[in-house]
Structures are given as structure tokens and as C-alpha cells.
Amino acid sequence: PTGPTPAFPLGAKTQDPLAMYLEDIMTVAVNLAGSAAISIPLGKLGTLPYGLQLIAPQRQERKLLSVASAAEALIGDWTKR
């Protein structure tokens, strides 16, 4: 996951800098490894969005974008039902 928790309302964690930092913690390992990653939207839980993070090996950006595009098409079709 791109974040360890579901989305929270805008401004909900502004008084807790550590909580805000920890929301980005899942992106660190991918960056350190030099892998390719993308997050795509899946839908909403109530009124808040949630998504999916896809990760590919180094130098596989084209494949990753192709898979992300296909996943978005499938997700779009699924959420219309």
C-alpha cells in the first residue's frame, strides 16, 4: 500500500507531524530499491478515496504503466456495476 492507513479527512493530522510522516513510510523502500511504482485509484470507502500501489523491478516502467492502464480499465468497468 502507498499508505499504512485509509485516507483521512483533509487537515485531520496537521497537529501530529509524526503521523503525517508515517503516512508516506510505504513509499520509502521502493525509492531506496530503485524500483518503479505507481498508485492508482480504486474507489471510495464512504467519502474517502483508497487506491492500489503497483511495484515493478528496476527499469520496467513501460510494463508497469501497461499493467496500471489495464488495471484502471478493469477497475473502471467493475466500479460501474
Side-chain angles (χ1 to χ4, degrees):
T2 305
T5 63
F8 48 88
L10 187 61
K13 296 189 179 185
T14 56
Q15 301 302 316
D16 189 354
L18 180 59
M20 292 295 291
Y21 168 78
L22 291 174
E23 289 301 319
D24 294 330
I25 199 73
M26 300 296 191
T27 63
V28 175
V30 173
N31 290 324
L32 290 175
S35 298
I38 189 170
S39 294
I40 58 173
L42 283 179
K44 291 190 176 189
L45 291 170
T47 60
L48 299 173
Y50 68 98
L52 171 70
Q53 182 181 32
L54 301 171
I55 303 171
Q58 294 177 344
R59 295 183 279 289
Q60 296 298 314
E61 289 85 358
R62 288 179 196 232
K63 286 183 183 177
L64 178 63
L65 290 173
S66 178
V67 169
S69 178
E72 282 186 316
L74 287 171
I75 292 164
D77 290 344
W78 176 72
T79 57
K80 291 177 185 172
R81 293 180 187 169

